[in-house]
Amino acid sequence: MSHSGNWEVVIGLEVHVQLATQSKIFSGTSTQTGDDPNRHASLIDLGMPGTLPVVNKEAIRNAVRFGLAVNADIARRSVFERKNYFYPDLPKGYQTTQLAEPIVGAGEVEIQLESGDKKLVRIHHAHLEEDAGKSLHEDFHGQTGIDLNRAGTPLIEIVSEPDMSSAEEAVAFARKLHSIVTSLGICDGDMSQGNMRFDVNISVRRPGEPLGTRTETKNLNSFRFMEKAIALEVARQIDVLEDGGEIVQETRLYNGETNTARSMRTKEDANDYRYFPCPDLLPVMVSEEDIQTLRDELPELPDARKARYIEQYQLSAYDADLLSGSIATARYFETAAEHGGDAKLAANWVMGELAAKLNAEDKDIADSPVSAEHLGELIQRLKDGTISSKIAKQVFEACWNGDGSPDRIIEAQGLKQMSDSGELEKIVDQVIADSPAQVEDYRNSDDAKRKKKIGFFVGQVMKATQGKANPQQVNQLLQQKL
């Protein structure tokens, strides 16, 4: 954002988190995905006259767990309201949500920035609501297909205060929320399936001026797209304002494939949702006792895990942050560290070699072809001198390609470091015998030059052993014999 020198960016997020309950929020229908359209749509989900909703206790517990994790006020009494609008995939003609009395009140989340700075982002509130169905526009010859399997799936919508002032901060906040809900186990965090989606509110202003008009970019489902969408929208708003134009309050859609965005609807088209308390549902009452029980049962949260990594494994704050962020990465790292017996090496491999491969193939760590146990085994072989670090990368590659466990690969491909000094000595003697000129040159050099010149011999020995010799051992032998 070259021209944003004298512009301030103001960002707030609304985040939809699909709760990992077995059944829907107001019916006993399964929330299972991936089945045929409308397999999981009961009379209640279809909004048939005469049906009555019953609230899902686990959904309420999950919302409270989230509230506790972000130090929020938990409402002892919260109320479901009807948000009325018409859309083909909303069979009841209204969405049951919360407005005036949400279940989770004000809270806060600490984010860590790459500069090492920390920042608090306030949460305005989080409320429970149901998801709508899906409208499918393919293969219906100009008609729209409606799939109501998702209708009535429980969500919490988390609304932040406009406390973020850059794409980096917004993404750090989104990642932190992802990390919290997956650590709690209340959401599987699968963004590709829309189980966590982000709406980003963006405005810009001159420093010291009142807030500018904001736009809302809807349904971003990856951190990378979020970062790009923000950069694009900030640049667009500044261009409009610097050309003397005005920002229109509107909802925008971002296309990640083409990195473009377009207006979807403006404030003028906004519905009047005519909210009113849902007459079919009693207020939700949560007792002190319920809250205390849930608080006592909370699993380890990302901040505590990070502190433990720094303490237990002597990792830097930055490394600890990266490894503790995602529950899947954390589990993988801990397993690899345990099996390998070296946390620092495990950390380096998980964030280096492994992360690079996962990125290149766009895979999640959960789908890594190299298991945490196998990485641990590889680290053991590195530590006990069976293989060199150069060979370790080769073994990792083979393991990634499905050639079996590190031990089997080392065995099958004969990759063991030669530590048998008898055999190594023969090769060293051979190399020295084959290079009289270099030996002469080496012996006539001073110590500083010798350090450089011994490299030639080490190279020859490595070549003769196909890189399997232990470099320290080769160096020692050569120094003795030369």
Side-chain angles (χ1 to χ4, degrees):
M1 297 178 297
S2 52
H3 46 205
S4 68
N6 49 354
W7 289 98
E8 269 179 11
V9 180
V10 180
I11 301 172
L13 255 59
E14 293 167 21
V15 184
H16 284 98
V17 174
Q18 186 171 312
L19 299 175
T21 53
Q22 302 282 305
S23 56
K24 295 188 178 179
I25 188 166
F26 300 122
S27 75
T29 319
S30 164
T31 49
Q32 200 178 319
T33 55
D35 287 329
D36 293 341
N38 302 309
R39 267 285 302 283
H40 305 299
S42 70
L43 295 174
I44 294 177
D45 309 323
L46 294 168
M48 290 297 174
T51 55
L52 278 176
V54 178
V55 73
N56 180 335
K57 236 182 183 162
E58 191 57 22
I60 291 169
R61 287 196 197 103
N62 282 343
V64 172
R65 287 180 180 113
F66 173 75
L68 291 170
V70 296
N71 285 327
D73 308 324
I74 308 292
R76 304 303 186 260
R77 172 182 189 273
S78 60
V79 174
F80 282 108
E81 307 206 22
R82 291 185 178 181
K83 175 182 182 179
N84 298 276
Y85 65 95
F86 288 100
Y87 205 72
D89 57 26
L90 188 78
K92 297 187 296 194
Y94 60 85
Q95 177 196 32
T96 307
T97 178
Q98 295 182 316
L99 181 71
E101 301 183 64
I103 185 153
V104 174
E108 59 186 25
V109 165
E110 187 181 70
I111 57 174
Q112 168 99 39
L113 303 171
E114 253 180 76
S115 62
D117 291 346
K118 293 182 167 142
K119 178 167 182 171
L120 270 186
V121 176
R122 292 168 304 156
I123 285 172
H124 180 272
H125 77 274
H127 62 262
L128 275 164
E129 62 185 25
E130 59 182 344
D131 210 345
K134 279 184 182 159
S135 301
L136 306 163
H137 306 287
E138 305 83 53
D139 45 79
F140 294 106
H141 313 292
Q143 293 180 305
T144 296
I146 303 289
D147 177 7
L148 295 172
N149 282 345
R150 200 179 65 183
T153 298
L155 305 174
I156 47 175
E157 180 176 344
I158 303 162
V159 180
S160 86
E161 295 283 3
D163 287 350
M164 292 151 280
S165 50
S166 68
E168 188 204 348
E169 289 179 9
V171 171
F173 174 68
R175 281 187 187 279
K176 188 61 173 275
L177 286 183
H178 185 272
S179 166
I180 289 169
V181 299
T182 50
S183 295
L184 287 169
I186 64 173
C187 174
D188 68 5
D190 186 347
M191 290 163 57
S192 65
Q193 292 303 307
N195 297 354
M196 193 166 181
R197 348 186 248 281
F198 305 93
D199 300 341
V200 186
N201 290 296
I202 302 171
S203 65
V204 300
R205 63 173 172 189
R206 297 281 185 197
E209 299 211 331
L211 288 173
T213 305
R214 67 187 167 91
T215 64
E216 179 178 26
T217 302
K218 294 208 67 98
N219 279 339
L220 296 164
N221 64 350
S222 87
F223 300 125
R224 201 173 68 239
F225 286 170
M226 179 192 287
E227 198 164 346
K228 289 180 152 178
I230 292 171
L232 194 69
E233 178 58 11
V234 166
R236 185 191 71 87
Q237 289 191 17
I238 291 171
D239 282 344
V240 168
L241 292 170
E242 288 188 345
D243 289 344
E246 282 190 353
I247 302 297
V248 182
Q249 186 172 345
E250 61 185 356
T251 307
R252 297 180 66 83
L253 269 186
Y254 172 78
N255 179 338
E257 305 296 308
T258 55
N259 193 27
T260 54
R262 60 179 176 83
S263 175
M264 199 164 87
R265 53 176 185 261
T266 57
K267 190 63 183 165
E268 281 80 77
D269 332 326
N271 285 307
D272 171 14
Y273 292 120
R274 304 188 318 283
Y275 282 93
F276 60 88
C278 179
D280 293 341
L281 288 161
L282 289 167
V284 174
M285 309 303 277
V286 182
S287 71
E288 298 296 331
E289 200 180 5
D290 295 335
I291 293 172
Q292 196 48 53
T293 305
L294 288 169
R295 180 177 277 131
D296 295 341
E297 290 169 0
L298 283 182
E300 182 180 51
L301 290 168
D303 286 348
R305 190 165 37 225
K306 177 179 166 181
R308 177 167 65 84
Y309 284 2
I310 294 171
E311 170 75 14
Q312 187 181 334
Y313 300 129
Q314 276 83 54
L315 298 179
S316 72
Y318 187 69
D319 288 358
D321 201 54
L322 284 178
L323 288 167
S324 64
S326 123
I327 184 83
T329 305
R331 283 191 185 131
Y332 189 104
F333 159 68
E334 290 191 29
T335 307
E338 211 171 296
H339 280 257
D342 188 321
K344 193 68 198 135
L345 264 179
N348 291 344
W349 275 85
V350 171
M351 292 184 300
E353 231 38 43
L354 181 72
K357 285 295 273 185
L358 291 169
N359 270 341
E361 299 192 14
D362 210 10
K363 278 190 163 77
D364 275 337
I365 197 157
D367 309 321
S368 165
V370 177
S371 70
E373 289 78 5
H374 280 168
L375 185 60
E377 192 173 290
L378 183 65
I379 288 165
Q380 272 181 353
R381 295 302 154 259
L382 251 177
K383 282 189 68 181
D384 64 20
T386 306
I387 52 174
S388 64
S389 52
K390 189 170 154 232
I391 297 283
K393 292 189 172 165
Q394 210 175 314
V395 175
F396 179 81
E397 195 71 34
C399 192
W400 180 277
N401 295 331
D403 297 347
S405 73
D407 281 348
R408 281 189 47 191
I409 292 163
I410 292 166
E411 198 53 51
Q413 301 186 17
L415 295 172
K416 268 199 173 65
Q417 272 194 139
M418 290 174 52
S419 324
D420 171 356
S421 31
E423 203 175 330
L424 201 52
E425 211 167 328
K426 280 190 202 137
I427 294 174
V428 170
D429 289 343
Q430 189 62 48
V431 165
I432 291 175
D434 289 347
S435 335
Q438 283 87 348
V439 173
E440 186 67 20
D441 181 33
Y442 178 86
R443 291 186 171 146
N444 295 331
S445 303
D446 59 31
D447 272 357
K449 285 215 178 94
R450 279 185 171 189
K451 264 208 174 74
K452 276 194 180 142
K453 296 198 168 169
I454 200 160
F456 163 79
F457 298 100
V458 176
Q460 293 296 312
V461 175
M462 288 317 235
K463 208 157 145 189
T465 60
Q466 289 154 338
K468 281 182 255 168
N470 181 328
Q472 283 102 336
Q473 219 176 348
V474 175
N475 256 310
Q476 276 171 340
L477 277 168
L478 281 165
Q479 277 167 5
Q480 284 166 17
K481 293 184 176 277
L482 286 168

